[in-house]
Amino acid sequence: MQKPYLKAFPDKKGYFGKFGGAFLPPQLEEQFKQIEEAYLTIGNSHNFIMELRDIRKHYQGRPTPVYYARRLSEYVGGARIYLKREDLNHTGAHKLNHCMGEALLAKYLGKKKLIAETGAGQHGVALATAAAYFGLECEIHMGEVDIKKEHPNVIRMKILGAKVVPVKFGAKTLKEAVDSAFEAYLKDPVNSFYAIGSVVGPHPFPKMVRDFQSVVGFEAREQFLNMTGNLPDNLVACVGGGSNAMGLFSAFLDDPCEIYAVEPLGTGTKLGEHAASLTYGKEGVLHGFNSIMLQNKDGSPAPVHSIASGLDYPSVGPEHAYLSCENRTQVATANDKETIQAFYDLSKYEGIIPALESAHAVAFAMKLAKEKPHESILVNLSGRGDKDIDFVVENFPPEDYV
Ligand SMILES: *Cc1c(COP(=O)(O)O)cnc(C)c1O
């Protein structure tokens, strides 16, 4: 009998086909081996599983609902669109699902401090929340450019008790923040835990983050079956690094569902105008793992753009690279313009203001619904849009869209 997908992938070395692995500086090999072993033993222990289950229920407010978006479906005039409401998860997005798991593992390992980088600040806020919950120190590395841009999230992290370390070298954005956080971690790997913010990075993080996020998919599968008596015909999620998408998809990989990974097409198809790594990228190693990435001619990571800062990454989780190469998932896109329209449409027709990241998934689902009028579509609504309201209203006034 064939092994279920989740048991078979990744392999022992952290590979999904040829993608994944752990490309590490020698000083860190031992540390990552330890994290892997701890995850495989502690992470599967009864106490760990029960404690995480308790946190999900009483602190995060899970399960989040699956909701039939009737008015949006009728407006589009096609397939029935359902939403998995991760915007109702504590802190307003899916990211806390893996941050609580990572921080719990850090606690079991006796670590004192959580270290991470953040781009837009979403991962930083979720991790600072987890650190407050467990009483751990928290150090978030953030480029100076991003600190200026994402002021409210910087304030949130500080209120939550985290130390925000400004990164002042290079382009002063996410890539430099990764380097800076890694360096800080290297100084004291015994007492600190490096908490990666998506299904990216060296093994075991793509597997670990996927497993922590899979609660989204397993809840949704059962809820959808209870609501409709069937599995969804189609699944849709936006992909930055790919954690919310893997969270939803992972529970359905052995099912006959069509799966769509939606990438940000930004303002155009030229390099620098989008962050559609799977659509336009090629194989390469970045930040310690082999995947498909957007590269300049010399192989360095290309500049990226998306209206949603959470999707602004030149590579993608190795499991997404594998699943799309195997044609198990279809790669799709939504551009900035379609995304803004979907942001306003979902708000107006359902009273749900989505994060700009999630609005990419909604935008594509609206296109797909017209092509498949007799089917059902389950969208992962990864987060709420409060954080984006000022930006949207300033740059894309409601008069032009509502
Ligand atoms: C960070 C973020 C994303 C993108 O990250 P993935 O790892 O691709 O899920 C998507 N939606 C929201 C709301 C986010 O905060």
Side-chain angles (χ1 to χ4, degrees), residues 271-272 274 276-277 280-286 289-304 314-315:
L271 212 59
H274 60 81
S277 318
Y280 296 106
K282 56 182 198 207
E283 194 177 338
V285 174
L286 177 69
F289 64 104
N290 185 41
S291 187
I292 294 176
M293 59 182 264
L294 294 166
Q295 324 181 4
N296 296 314
K297 285 215 171 68
D298 65 0
S300 60
V304 280
S315 185

Side-chain angles (χ1 to χ4, degrees), residues 93-95 122 197-198 238-245 310-311 355 357-358 382-383:
H94 71 289
K95 281 199 176 74
Q122 297 294 105
S198 188
C238 66
V239 175
S243 65
N244 88 86
L311 303 180
E357 291 81 4
S358 325
S382 54

Side-chain angles (χ1 to χ4, degrees), residues 59-60 89-91 93-100 126 129-130:
Y59 183 67
Q60 291 181 228
N89 194 38
H90 180 43
T91 71
H94 71 289
K95 281 199 176 74
L96 197 65
N97 296 330
H98 61 250
C99 284
M100 293 309 283
T129 302

Side-chain angles (χ1 to χ4, degrees), residues 243-266:
S243 65
N244 88 86
M246 276 323 302
L248 180 69
F249 300 168
S250 54
F252 295 91
L253 290 168
D254 295 318
D255 293 322
C257 306
E258 289 278 348
I259 301 179
Y260 296 90
V262 183
E263 296 196 305
L265 197 54

